[in-house]
Amino acid sequence: MSRRCSLPFVISLATLAAPALAQHAFDPARAPADDASILLAPEPYKTYRGHSLIRAVIRDHTEFNRVLAISGDCWTHTPRLEQPIDFLIPPGGLHAIRALGVSFDIIEPDMGEVVAAERARLNAPQTRGWYDDYKNLEAISDKVDELVALRPDLVSRFIVGPSLESRTIFGFRIDSPTPGPAGTIKPVIYIHATQHAREWLAPMTTMYVAEQLIAGYATDPDATAFLDKFTVIVVPVVNVDGYVYTWTTQRFWRKNRRNNANGTFGVDLNRNWSYAWGNNNGSSGSGASETYRGTAPFSEPEAAGLRDHILSTPGIILAFDIHTYGPLILSPWGYTASPPPILPYFNSLGLLMQSAIASVNALTFTSGQWYSTLYPASGANIDWWYGDQSVLNWTIELRGGSFAPPPTDIIPSGQEIYAGLLALAQTFCRADYNHDAFMNGNDYDDFVVDWIGALPAADYDRNGFVNADDFDAFVVEFEQGC
Ligand SMILES: [Zn+2]
C-alpha cells in the first residue's frame, strides 16, 4: 500500500537541490511542431464546423451507450442518470440523437464558431496581462522562467522527462528556506495539470495559484505561512504533445499523440496509471476511444515520466490533479463504488475546500468520491496516488461550461483554487495520524505502534526510511499543532 519504504533508491537533500534540475527545460528547437505559430500548423486545422455541444438527460445505461456511440466524446466528467450530461455531437448526429428519443438541449449549435472566435482572438496581438487569455506551451515555459527570475531564492525549475514526441515536460519547485519540523523534509504538495490536452483552463489556473504563492511570500501572510509549512511542486502541462496539438491542429484533442498503428491516435494518460489499470469497465481497449488505456500500465512516457519524478521526490503528503470542467472536487476511488476506509476524512477536507472556494465567487464545487456508474475510471492517476502511494489526493475539475471557457474564467478560477488550497493548508495536519479529523491521544498511540513496528506509514517525512527523525517530527507537530 505504501510507497515510502519501497522507494527503489536513496535520495539526499543535496540531490534534490542539484543545479541541473534548475536549468531551462523547454527547448523549442527540439519541438517538432512550432506551437507558437498556429498559422504554420502542418496538418489542416480542424474547424469543428457543424459540431454541436448538447446537454442530455439519460434514462439508463443502454441509452447512454447509444448516445456515446453517436458522439464518441462525453464531456461531462462524472455523468449520472437523470442528470444533465454534455456530449460533443459531430455533424449530422443530432438527427440520430433525436431518433433515440433522448431529451436534450443544444448548448452550442456550432462549436466551429466558438473555436474560430477563440483562434482569431488568440492570433490577435496580445497586449493585456498574462492571465487575461490562454497561453501556449512556450509561453507557459517562459512564465516558469519568469517566476524563477522573480524569486530565485524560492523557485527552481526541473525536468520531468521527455514526451513521446521528444518535447520536454517541465515543472518547478517552490521551496521556502524554513525547514520541516525537527529538521526533517518539509511536507510536499504535488500539483500537476493538463493530462488532458484540451483543458486549457487547467495550466492557467495552476500557474495563477503558483504565482500567488511565489509573489506573496514574505509579504502576504497567507502565502508566507503556506510556503513555510509546505513545499509545492508544480507540473503545469503533463501532456505536452497533446497540448501543442490542441493549439496547432485539433482544439478538442484529449489524449497524448501515440500512433496506435491501427489508424487511431492517442492514449488517455489518465487511464494509463497502474493502479486498477483496465478494471471494471473504467477505460477502453479501443484506440479510437477518448478513454483508451494504452497497451500496458505506464506504456506512455508522459505518465511514466511523471510517476518517476514523483517516486524520486521525498516528502509528498498531498497531491492534486487539475482538470476541466466540473466544477468538482473528487477523491478516490475512481474505479469502484466501494468507499476507501477514510472517505469521511476525504469528505471533510473536500467540504473545507468547497466552502473556501465558494466564498470567492459564490460558485459551489460538488465534492465527493469520483466513481460514476455510467463512466467509471480505472487506471486514473487519482487511484494510483492513493492506492499505490498512500498519498491523499484530489482531482479538481475546474469551473467552465465547456472545454473552451471564456478567458474571463481564468482569474476567477485561479482565485477559487488558491482559496481552496489555502484553506486546506491551514487546516491539514499530518499529526492527525489516523485521519479522523481530530488530533488526540489515539493519533499518538497509533503512530508509536507503527513506528516501533517500522511500518511504512510511520515514515512521517516520507523519505523512504522509518527512523528517529520521523519520531521527532511527529512529536513536534503533535505537541505544537501544525
Ligand atoms: Zn481531464
Side-chain angles (χ1 to χ4, degrees):
M1 280 290 284
S2 171
R3 68 188 287 264
R4 288 155 292 179
C5 287
S6 60
L7 295 179
F9 55 82
V10 175
I11 191 164
S12 69
L13 284 172
T15 309
L16 282 176
L21 296 181
Q23 289 173 0
H24 186 139
F26 184 78
D27 179 0
R30 293 185 59 208
D34 180 4
D35 62 291
S37 294
I38 290 173
L39 297 175
L40 295 180
E43 287 180 50
Y45 190 79
K46 181 168 178 174
T47 66
Y48 291 93
R49 194 164 295 130
H51 286 66
S52 46
L53 183 63
I54 68 164
R55 191 158 290 170
V57 176
I58 302 295
R59 291 167 292 196
D60 55 45
H61 278 82
T62 304
E63 194 168 81
F64 178 80
N65 288 331
R66 283 180 178 151
V67 175
L68 189 60
I70 295 164
S71 158
D73 200 0
C74 174
W75 280 19
T76 295
H77 189 273
T78 48
R80 316 220 183 260
L81 294 177
E82 307 294 345
Q83 300 287 326
I85 303 174
D86 295 357
F87 295 92
L88 184 69
I89 305 295
L94 287 180
H95 178 72
I97 303 282
R98 283 195 189 94
L100 295 174
V102 172
S103 156
F104 67 90
D105 292 324
I106 296 174
I107 301 303
E108 195 59 61
D110 187 0
M111 288 305 291
E113 286 184 15
V114 175
V115 168
E118 180 186 70
R119 194 177 182 210
R121 195 187 71 232
L122 290 167
N123 276 331
Q126 301 278 315
T127 56
R128 301 178 299 152
W130 202 82
Y131 296 99
D132 287 336
D133 215 329
Y134 298 97
K135 295 293 181 290
N136 65 20
L137 186 65
E138 187 173 10
I140 293 169
S141 176
D142 290 346
K143 183 68 174 177
V144 173
D145 287 343
E146 245 180 65
L147 294 177
V148 173
L150 179 71
R151 292 301 299 262
D153 54 326
L154 290 179
V155 189
S156 56
R157 182 175 179 125
F158 61 83
I159 294 171
V160 174
S163 70
L164 198 61
E165 295 180 340
S166 300
R167 290 185 182 83
T168 299
I169 305 168
F170 55 88
F172 55 104
R173 181 180 175 98
I174 315 170
D175 222 346
S176 83
T178 311
T184 57
I185 299 167
K186 200 155 50 177
V188 172
I189 300 180
Y190 201 116
I191 304 171
H192 53 78
T194 332
Q195 288 197 83
H196 293 147
R198 62 193 175 188
E199 299 170 4
W200 287 10
L201 191 58
M204 300 303 296
T205 300
T206 305
M207 293 302 295
Y208 181 93
V209 168
E211 183 157 7
Q212 292 303 300
L213 290 171
I214 293 162
Y217 187 73
T219 55
D220 173 72
D222 288 337
T224 306
F226 192 115
L227 290 180
D228 282 342
K229 185 172 175 180
F230 295 102
T231 293
V232 179
I233 290 183
V234 178
V235 179
V237 183
V238 174
N239 183 3
V240 287
D241 296 345
Y243 192 69
V244 169
Y245 193 71
T246 61
W247 281 77
T248 59
T249 313
Q250 279 197 36
R251 174 63 180 86
F252 298 124
W253 187 260
R254 166 185 166 102
K255 302 183 286 181
N256 77 349
R257 289 297 301 155
R258 168 73 67 186
N259 182 346
N260 297 323
N262 57 3
T264 70
F265 281 82
V267 171
D268 182 349
L269 297 179
N270 209 24
R271 300 294 184 277
N272 193 234
W273 295 73
S274 60
Y275 195 83
W277 182 83
N279 281 16
N280 200 21
N281 298 319
S283 63
S284 173
S286 162
S289 169
E290 293 294 350
T291 56
Y292 175 49
R293 67 179 80 101
T295 53
F298 294 119
S299 58
E300 303 314 296
E302 297 86 2
L306 187 59
R307 170 203 61 192
D308 291 346
H309 184 260
I310 290 165
L311 292 177
S312 68
T313 304
I316 303 172
I317 57 157
L318 297 170
F320 290 89
D321 186 18
I322 309 296
H323 292 252
T324 77
Y325 54 99
L328 299 164
I329 301 166
L330 300 170
S331 60
W333 304 106
Y335 81 101
T336 175
S338 301
I342 62 163
L343 184 66
Y345 186 61
F346 274 122
N347 287 343
S348 71
L349 294 177
L351 291 173
L352 178 85
M353 289 188 276
Q354 178 197 59
S355 163
I357 290 170
S359 72
V360 179
N361 298 309
L363 179 65
T364 300
F365 281 50
T366 300
S367 173
Q369 184 176 340
W370 174 326
Y371 178 81
S372 153
T373 51
L374 281 174
Y375 215 53
S378 61
N381 165 271
I382 191 172
D383 288 352
W384 180 84
W385 267 121
Y386 183 61
D388 206 78
Q389 304 297 302
S390 299
V391 170
L392 301 174
N393 81 108
W394 289 264
T395 290
I396 305 292
E397 298 282 341
L398 303 169
R399 60 163 48 221
S402 83
F403 290 119
T408 48
D409 270 353
I410 295 171
I411 290 174
S413 176
Q415 291 168 333
E416 284 159 2
I417 301 310
Y418 184 60
L421 278 178
L422 278 186
L424 181 69
Q426 286 161 357
T427 304
F428 180 78
C429 188
R430 278 189 298 182
D432 176 13
Y433 188 73
N434 62 7
H435 294 152
D436 66 354
F438 300 101
M439 205 160 59
N440 55 27
N442 293 335
D443 297 303
Y444 188 90
D445 293 346
D446 289 353
F447 176 79
V448 168
V449 167
D450 285 359
W451 188 79
I452 289 171
L455 297 185
D459 177 16
Y460 195 69
D461 62 2
R462 292 184 175 262
N463 69 345
F465 309 99
V466 177
N467 57 21
D469 289 345
D470 297 305
F471 193 89
D472 293 346
F474 173 79
V475 169
V476 166
E477 289 194 338
F478 180 76
E479 289 182 345
Q480 297 180 355
C482 295

